[in-house]
Amino acid sequence: MNYSKKALPNPAKPIELFGFYLFHLKKILTTSIRLRIQDPFGYKQNKVYDELLKQRDTKKNIPCFVLANGPSLNKLDPKKIRTFCSEHDAEVFCVNYFPNSEFARIAGYDHWVISDPYFFKVDQDVPLPKREILSSTFGNVKKHLRQCVYAPSKEVAKVKNKMNVPVIGFNDIEISTIFSDSINPVKPRSYISMSAYKALAIACYLGFSPIYICGFDNSYITNLGCDRENRIFRKNEHFDENAYKSSSPIQLLSYKYRSVADELISNSRLFSDLEKFNEHLILNLDVDSLTDAFRKDDSLDIYVQG
């Protein structure tokens, strides 16, 4: 079994459970040993993450918004977000294709976090429709981004060539959640590979407080289906379909190693991994959200009327 492809083992299968733990124990040991040999005193790591290290706790007691791309974001009024930021010196984090939305144009944004592999491919390796979306995204960011871009450290050089603002690298190596709870963006992450979670980790690292989140719907489980051939599919939902023109509304999950049980177990990490962030003051602006790791708060005057 390819344990590297499973988010969590199936607890109903003891052999799989043992194999999963053993695989990840070997992985974390070999990774630690390799890093210790290559960089015994941490000098190389400090150089790679020098810009991010300089930013640690530089935003203490400054509020911010971390906006994911779930449909609940449509509950917020972008004009009111812009006004709130102006009045409270608050800042906005966004991810991936958010800059293509009308919401982004109106509300504005300060920090853009990207980890979708398409952002780091050369043009000729990207299908034409997707290439146009990427070109539009980079163009919008160059026009409207107020501060900086965050990208996986190994991809920073590729992004710098397309940007006119600082591009700062973060650690996008994933290690098993079984052996780590790290959300430090300078160290390997212990949470699932979701761009919005990486943005949240960076916001925590910079010291923002409070951190308001929205669009963290994690509603994949409610959009899950299985056809007569036992193929698993889900409906893709984003707050602005214009920002995700190349996304199919129905996504066939062609993972050969997953059953519906595996998919549901995997989706459970969308919720459990967020619990690693709850030592920070994070407030969920979507009071109807399935995400229950943080206190919910709709007291701000930032919502669409009616």
Side-chain angles (χ1 to χ4, degrees):
M1 179 173 290
N2 190 346
Y3 293 109
S4 66
K5 297 294 186 181
K6 293 187 73 79
L8 284 174
N10 188 336
K13 301 177 180 178
I15 293 177
E16 179 180 314
L17 202 67
F18 175 77
F20 181 87
Y21 289 156
L22 184 61
F23 170 84
H24 283 283
L25 178 60
K26 289 179 179 178
K27 182 179 177 181
I28 196 168
L29 287 175
T30 54
T31 300
S32 299
I33 292 170
R34 186 177 68 251
L35 290 175
R36 180 68 64 180
I37 293 172
Q38 294 175 346
D39 188 20
F41 301 106
Y43 294 145
K44 292 180 181 178
Q45 174 171 290
N46 287 347
K47 185 174 181 181
V48 169
Y49 301 111
D50 182 54
E51 292 303 314
L52 192 53
L53 287 164
K54 290 176 183 176
Q55 288 193 334
R56 184 166 193 172
D57 290 332
T58 56
K59 302 286 187 176
K60 277 192 171 182
N61 300 317
I62 297 175
C64 80
F65 295 92
V66 178
L67 305 180
N69 292 318
S72 65
L73 198 58
N74 286 316
K75 295 180 178 182
L76 305 186
D77 185 327
K79 293 180 180 177
K80 291 181 178 179
I81 294 290
R82 183 181 63 200
T83 299
F84 181 93
C85 288
S86 176
E87 292 176 350
H88 297 85
D89 295 321
E91 299 180 12
V92 175
F93 282 80
C94 66
V95 299
N96 292 335
Y97 303 96
F98 176 92
N100 292 334
S101 67
E102 183 69 6
F103 192 110
R105 188 189 66 78
I106 296 171
Y109 48 99
D110 302 274
H111 309 272
W112 184 45
V113 180
I114 51 176
S115 65
D116 185 330
Y118 274 110
F119 283 109
F120 317 119
K121 293 180 181 290
V122 296
D123 288 348
Q124 56 265 34
D125 292 336
V126 181
L128 187 58
K130 190 77 171 182
R131 194 186 313 168
E132 292 175 347
I133 297 290
L134 290 168
S135 176
S136 172
T137 308
F138 278 114
N140 286 326
V141 171
K142 288 179 74 173
K143 289 179 184 176
H144 303 298
L145 182 65
R146 292 190 285 250
Q147 293 196 35
C148 57
V149 180
Y150 296 90
S153 56
K154 66 178 182 178
E155 310 290 3
V156 166
K158 297 176 186 176
V159 182
K160 277 186 175 179
N161 294 332
K162 301 179 180 180
M163 288 288 97
N164 54 358
V165 295
V167 181
I168 298 173
F170 62 86
N171 194 326
D172 201 23
I173 297 172
E174 183 174 354
I175 56 175
S176 174
T177 187
I178 305 299
F179 302 104
S180 173
D181 283 328
S182 175
I183 62 168
N184 186 329
V186 172
K187 298 179 180 180
R189 57 180 167 80
S190 66
Y191 53 87
I192 200 166
S193 184
M194 297 287 285
S195 297
Y197 291 21
K198 298 168 191 179
L200 186 59
I202 293 169
C204 292
Y205 184 79
L206 269 57
F208 283 100
S209 182
I211 298 172
Y212 299 105
I213 67 168
C214 195
F216 285 67
D217 294 36
N218 290 340
S219 55
Y220 300 113
I221 56 172
T222 64
N223 294 326
L224 198 64
C226 185
D227 67 16
R228 64 186 299 158
E229 304 297 329
N230 282 333
R231 295 178 300 180
I232 305 170
F233 64 89
R234 69 180 177 212
K235 298 176 184 177
N236 283 325
E237 291 185 330
H238 301 103
F239 79 101
D240 186 339
E241 297 305 325
N242 288 326
Y244 284 80
K245 291 181 180 178
S246 63
S247 296
S248 171
I250 301 294
Q251 179 184 1
L252 186 65
L253 304 180
S254 57
Y255 310 132
K256 294 180 181 179
Y257 55 88
R258 278 191 187 173
S259 62
V260 170
D262 292 324
E263 186 64 21
L264 291 172
I265 291 169
S266 174
N267 277 309
S268 72
R269 278 196 65 187
L270 292 169
F271 303 95
S272 60
D273 280 357
L274 285 175
E275 294 173 4
K276 299 175 181 183
F277 295 82
N278 59 20
E279 66 180 65
H280 298 271
L281 180 54
I282 300 171
L283 302 173
N284 191 347
L285 298 171
D286 177 18
V287 296
D288 302 312
S289 174
L290 277 174
T291 298
D292 61 351
F294 315 117
R295 182 160 61 89
K296 295 176 178 177
D297 187 339
D298 61 356
S299 62
L300 300 183
D301 181 21
I302 56 171
Y303 294 88
V304 175
Q305 291 295 325

